[in-house]
Amino acid sequence: MLVDQFRSLPDEALAALLRMRPDLVVPVPSDLSALALRAQSRMSIARVLDGFDRFTLEILDAARLSRGQSDGTTSLEAIFTLTAAVDREAVRAAVDRLRARFVLYGPEIALSVATGVEEVSSPYPAGLGRPAALLDAGAAELVADPARLRRTVLAAPPPARAVLDRLAAGPPVGTLAGGGEAGSPVRWLVDNALLVPVPSGGFELPREVGLLLRRDTGPLGTLHAAPPKIDASVREPKLVDSAGAGQAMDAVRHTETLLLALEAEPAAVLRSGGIGVRELRRLARAAGLDDGTAATLLEAAYAAGLAGEAEAHTAPVGRPAPESQVLPTSRFDAWRASSIARRWTDLAAAWLTMTRQPGLVGQRDERDRPITVLAPEVERSGAPAARRAVLAILGDQPPGTAPSADELLARLDWAAPRRTRGREDAYREVLTEAAVLGVTGLGALTAPGRALLADDAAELGHDERAAADPLGMRAEGNRAPDDPPTAVKVLDALLPAPVDHFLLQADLSVVVPGPPEPELSAELEVVAEPESAGGASVYRVTPEAVRHALDTGYAADDLHRLFRRRSRTPVPQALTYLIDDVARRHGGLRVGGAGSYLRSEDEALVAEVLADRRLAGLGLRKLAPTVLVTPMPSARLLQDLREAGYAPVPEDATGATVRGRVKARRAPARGTGLARLGGGGTVDAIAGVQLTQPRLLGIVEQIRRGDAAARTARRAPAAVRPGNGSGPVAVQTHTQALAVLQQAIRDKALVWVGYVDAHGSTTSRLVRPVSIGAGYLRAEDERTEMLHTFALHRISAAVLD
């Protein structure tokens, strides 16, 4: 029995099993019997099989096929016999992987297959049907005579032989239109006992017939001991890194533009979550992106904590105010002030570990509604593992190797077929997202992308060391807090050095010959309008930009000094005149907050504003030749006047001009919430439990103590004690109780469940069990028509009604 195997293991070996299968300790089993039962449960077996490569699963099929009819066990030699065409060492390594995770257990001469394997795997191992003796007496009689069987197969007409070959390749069952009609190929095969009708209305190929048809390829068919080769073009690594660095700069710039657009006009959060299609398109247009790219960058920015939700203060005219809005967080300001490499690393690391799948945006959900960006429907717990899998394959190739999507999918299908099949689109989306962020360039993994993966692995190792050394007494392997990640250093070396100057042209264009420093970028954002971006960005000084600079607090002299200090070329006289001219007219109108009001010493200017039809919506009224009032707030008055081409300035209650930048509204800062799903790492993806070696050994000790107590209880005389409910609860072992529950699930029977509640009291309930999984029993109480959930480790007994 598996529980006896567990008892014979040393603590280190049992801890190694828990490390490879962390779901077994969520929650911690009460004893080794409960651990053995959970290790063979459907959900746990499915999880462990998902991590096996194609060859290991083929060897598992060999073990299932070679089991004896009497004891249900197989042997290593029997597996070798079925896999004679493959190197024995490769087969032994696959068997060792299965035995290490106790999918196969027992000595090499009597290997047992975990019971849950049959529940989650195909009922036809290696694509072969059931033995003829289990299907039909006529078929059993035919296969009992090998010579007759061969003659019958050779006598099959070509159409019937084609059906045989297709079923022999697997799966061995099918339902063919008109298959039962006289004269059809299937009817011929059924009449000659080569196919057997099954109750479902289809047909099944007996195992012995399938083995005969596979005489050229072997009983298991073609085995795949090695992954498919990647025969891709190799590009110059420098070109790959340069392309990736350029794309990384664009990703940072576009993300900043998207967040600035959210700052100017926050996006309303829908009742169902996320932001609407129109809002996404508005943001995408502001950044000059397509909707899919904008969605990817917004999801990554949200995961990095650069955007968040806050209570809505305003709403567009004619629309009800939303409950909350998406806008930048306070972290966004610090992010903008950091280097491009640091900003990219924050963004890419958030993308790598976020449990979101941006490729779903724009698709339809089960209710045929469009899936929107930041919506709950985009959540996918397997997204980080998919990104890691794709990037790991790219990282295993020589630098510059750019495999096609089909080659990557073929390798992924070999490495984890149960995870890959049916999810090909999600893996293709990873390649698209990696290209958008600059993690890949020209189809190959870039040097910063490799560094990003290395930093992520190092962070997992750091987490494990921190858990083992909470006081930080061991200095080895610990990175200094101010030491930047490797990805920052690698990307910094690829990017051009940031510049602190620009080149002013006679046409008032401003050329920045490289990525601007954060301070210069902030100044240009105020005093000029962007025209193009890239390695050398171009801005232009316009009257509107000068007015904007004056509105934010700059004086004319400040602007003259800024352009003289930053420009490496002489300041054009036209720019000097433009600044002085706009400054001279700036402030000719003054806005206050009496409802609000507008005043000016220039009566003609006041009359012009009053007669301007573009401002009719403000409801302006003349109080005096130099004063107008409106019911609108002063901010709205200022905005409409500026949009109409006027140059007003606000003033306070004393009449003094109010200058300075308006403080941008921010959402509250939040944690990034980046759950790390390290394949083979120390963090359990189910519960976020960090399984360090000391903790694993402590769990093993706890399970062994519970097992010793359970064995002591089994030696005590059997008794029956009444429960607090209406039925009796028998004294049982935990294994016996779970066996009763599993039998009740199969028979859909009622059962009395005894359990210990949170207060330590023992009670019982009559329920009909529905399922067992992930450490819980789900059962229906027919009297109240309610579904109850019981933690398995709290169940003390179970008795069929």
Side-chain angles (χ1 to χ4, degrees):
M1 293 178 62
L2 183 56
V3 64
D4 296 327
Q5 294 257 328
F6 283 167
R7 290 195 180 106
S8 65
L9 289 176
D11 288 356
E12 290 74 13
L14 202 54
L17 169 65
L18 300 182
R19 179 181 294 273
M20 289 183 287
R21 296 178 63 178
D23 60 292
L24 296 181
V25 295
V26 183
V28 177
S30 59
D31 54 30
L32 288 174
S33 297
L35 178 64
L37 192 64
R38 190 178 300 174
Q40 299 188 87
S41 66
R42 176 188 179 91
M43 292 187 66
S44 184
I45 289 294
R47 184 178 292 274
V48 72
L49 293 187
D50 285 347
F52 285 141
D53 58 56
R54 185 174 183 179
F55 181 64
T56 303
L57 293 175
E58 289 170 343
I59 298 304
L60 178 59
D61 277 348
R64 295 171 64 195
L65 278 174
S66 57
R67 284 179 295 184
Q69 296 293 329
S70 56
D71 59 358
T73 64
T74 184
S75 66
L76 186 60
E77 282 301 322
I79 296 174
F80 283 153
T81 302
L82 288 180
T83 59
V86 182
D87 179 65
R88 282 198 167 203
E89 291 304 316
V91 175
R92 180 180 288 275
V95 171
D96 289 343
R97 285 192 292 273
L98 294 165
R99 295 182 70 192
R101 292 159 179 81
F102 283 85
V103 177
L104 292 181
Y105 61 93
E108 292 185 354
I109 59 173
L111 293 171
S112 297
V113 179
T115 54
V117 172
E118 299 298 332
E119 299 181 36
V120 301
S121 301
S122 167
Y124 307 106
L128 292 171
R130 290 172 290 177
L134 301 178
L135 293 174
D136 179 73
E141 181 182 351
L142 173 65
V143 301
D145 186 348
R148 179 186 167 199
L149 175 61
R150 285 195 297 270
R151 289 195 302 269
T152 305
V153 170
L154 291 174
R161 181 57 186 265
V163 173
L164 284 178
D165 291 338
R166 188 167 59 213
L167 294 174
V173 293
T175 301
L176 303 178
E181 296 178 359
S184 68
V186 171
R187 173 51 58 189
W188 189 94
L189 294 171
V190 171
D191 291 343
N192 288 273
L194 292 176
L195 279 186
V196 178
V198 292
S200 62
F203 308 93
E204 183 171 339
L205 182 72
R207 179 175 299 179
E208 294 82 356
V209 180
L211 290 172
L212 175 63
L213 294 170
R214 290 185 180 184
R215 60 186 180 279
D216 295 330
T217 60
L220 301 176
T222 302
L223 297 177
H224 305 81
K229 294 182 179 180
I230 293 180
D231 187 16
S233 58
V234 179
R235 308 180 189 277
E236 178 62 36
K238 290 184 178 180
L239 295 178
V240 170
D241 293 342
S242 296
Q247 190 59 41
M249 292 177 61
D250 287 343
V252 170
R253 176 172 55 85
H254 290 317
T255 302
E256 183 175 355
T257 304
L258 289 169
L259 294 174
L260 289 174
L262 280 174
E263 175 185 294
E265 185 179 344
V269 177
L270 302 174
R271 290 185 178 180
S272 58
I275 61 178
V277 175
R278 290 183 180 179
E279 294 283 12
L280 175 60
R281 290 175 180 170
R282 171 179 68 84
L283 296 170
R285 283 196 303 269
L289 302 171
D290 60 82
D291 292 356
T293 301
T296 298
L297 295 178
L298 281 172
E299 289 283 0
Y302 195 92
L306 304 178
E309 294 184 20
E311 183 180 351
H313 289 175
T314 60
V317 178
R319 298 184 189 175
E323 294 183 0
S324 59
Q325 295 173 323
V326 176
L327 66 161
T329 65
S330 56
R331 183 174 296 163
F332 172 60
D333 300 308
W335 181 77
R336 289 186 70 194
S338 58
S339 67
I340 293 178
R342 170 66 75 171
R343 281 184 274 174
W344 176 84
T345 301
D346 291 344
L347 203 63
W351 166 79
L352 179 63
T353 55
M354 70 180 184
T355 56
R356 309 280 294 174
Q357 188 176 328
L360 296 174
V361 175
Q363 299 183 22
R364 296 273 175 175
D365 61 12
E366 64 276 2
R367 298 183 181 179
D368 199 34
R369 297 178 304 182
I371 298 176
T372 59
V373 65
L374 302 181
E377 291 81 6
V378 184
E379 188 76 18
R380 292 292 185 274
S381 60
R387 296 187 192 102
R388 291 173 185 275
V390 171
L391 297 184
I393 292 176
L394 290 174
D396 289 340
Q397 309 307 311
T401 304
S404 66
D406 291 338
E407 287 177 317
L408 275 172
L409 287 173
R411 177 65 69 89
L412 285 167
D413 185 62
W414 182 89
R418 287 173 57 93
R419 288 178 180 167
T420 305
R421 291 171 188 171
R423 300 188 65 241
E424 290 81 2
D425 289 344
Y427 290 100
R428 291 181 187 273
E429 290 165 7
V430 171
L431 291 174
T432 302
E433 295 165 12
V436 165
L437 287 162
V439 177
T440 60
L442 303 178
L445 190 65
T446 62
R450 293 177 184 273
L452 182 71
L453 290 177
D455 285 337
D456 190 65
E459 187 67 24
L460 288 173
H462 174 73
D463 291 344
E464 182 177 5
R465 290 193 300 271
D469 182 25
L471 299 180
M473 303 298 292
R474 305 171 192 167
E476 66 276 7
N478 292 330
R479 194 180 73 200
D482 57 348
D483 186 21
T486 307
V488 175
K489 302 175 184 177
V490 173
L491 184 57
D492 257 333
L494 294 172
L495 295 175
V499 298
D500 61 354
H501 62 276
F502 49 70
L503 308 174
L504 270 172
Q505 308 295 317
D507 61 353
L508 301 188
S509 61
V510 180
V511 179
V512 185
E517 289 183 342
E519 184 180 355
L520 175 60
S521 179
E523 292 173 345
L524 286 171
E525 181 186 333
V526 175
V527 303
E529 296 180 353
E531 285 194 345
S532 65
S537 50
V538 179
Y539 295 77
R540 186 171 299 278
V541 182
T542 63
E544 292 77 13
V546 174
R547 278 201 300 268
H548 178 249
L550 295 172
D551 289 338
T552 57
Y554 281 98
D557 291 341
D558 297 332
L559 293 177
H560 289 312
R561 283 194 297 269
L562 185 150
F563 284 112
R564 285 197 301 269
R565 176 168 53 90
R566 292 293 191 182
S567 179
R568 291 293 185 268
T569 58
V571 178
Q573 194 174 40
L575 178 58
T576 303
Y577 289 160
L578 174 63
I579 294 173
D580 291 340
D581 184 57
V582 173
R584 196 164 36 248
R585 293 183 289 107
H586 190 263
L589 297 175
R590 295 174 176 261
V591 173
S596 52
Y597 68 87
L598 181 149
R599 72 178 183 87
S600 174
E601 300 300 329
D602 188 342
E603 295 184 14
L605 183 56
V606 172
E608 179 186 348
V609 171
L610 184 61
D612 196 330
R613 293 184 178 180
R614 295 173 297 176
L615 303 175
L618 291 174
L620 290 168
R621 291 185 302 111
K622 181 187 288 188
L623 293 184
T626 58
V627 180
L628 302 177
V629 294
T630 174
M632 299 298 175
S634 58
R636 168 74 181 277
L637 179 56
L638 278 168
Q639 178 183 348
D640 287 9
L641 286 170
R642 286 168 179 165
E643 289 178 355
Y646 298 97
V649 294
E651 67 180 19
D652 59 18
T654 66
T657 301
V658 178
R659 297 184 182 276
R661 301 186 184 185
V662 178
K663 186 176 181 181
R665 184 164 169 254
R666 292 286 182 258
R670 56 182 180 79
T672 57
L674 303 180
R676 297 189 176 275
L677 305 180
T682 60
V683 179
D684 174 28
I686 301 174
V689 179
Q690 204 166 52
L691 298 179
T692 59
Q693 186 66 12
R695 180 170 296 179
L696 286 169
L697 292 175
I699 292 173
V700 170
E701 181 181 358
Q702 178 181 345
I703 295 173
R704 288 199 188 279
R705 285 201 303 267
D707 189 63
R711 296 176 73 180
T712 301
R714 280 196 297 272
R715 289 193 291 267
V720 176
R721 62 176 183 272
N724 295 336
S726 57
V729 179
V731 176
Q732 297 172 308
T733 66
H734 191 72
T735 304
Q736 291 171 334
L738 292 180
V740 171
L741 293 173
Q742 289 181 332
Q743 180 65 37
I745 291 174
R746 288 191 293 267
D747 298 341
K748 299 181 179 180
L750 290 173
V751 63
W752 285 98
V753 174
Y755 63 96
V756 180
D757 61 21
H759 304 288
S761 301
T762 302
T763 185
S764 60
R765 187 182 295 272
L766 182 64
V767 294
R768 190 182 302 278
V770 176
S771 65
I772 294 178
Y776 292 93
L777 165 70
R778 292 167 182 81
E780 181 182 8
D781 189 332
E782 293 188 342
R783 292 171 295 180
T784 61
E785 297 184 352
M786 294 180 61
L787 188 66
H788 297 277
T789 301
F790 305 91
L792 290 180
H793 67 281
R794 289 185 176 274
I795 294 178
S796 59
V799 179
L800 291 173
D801 187 38

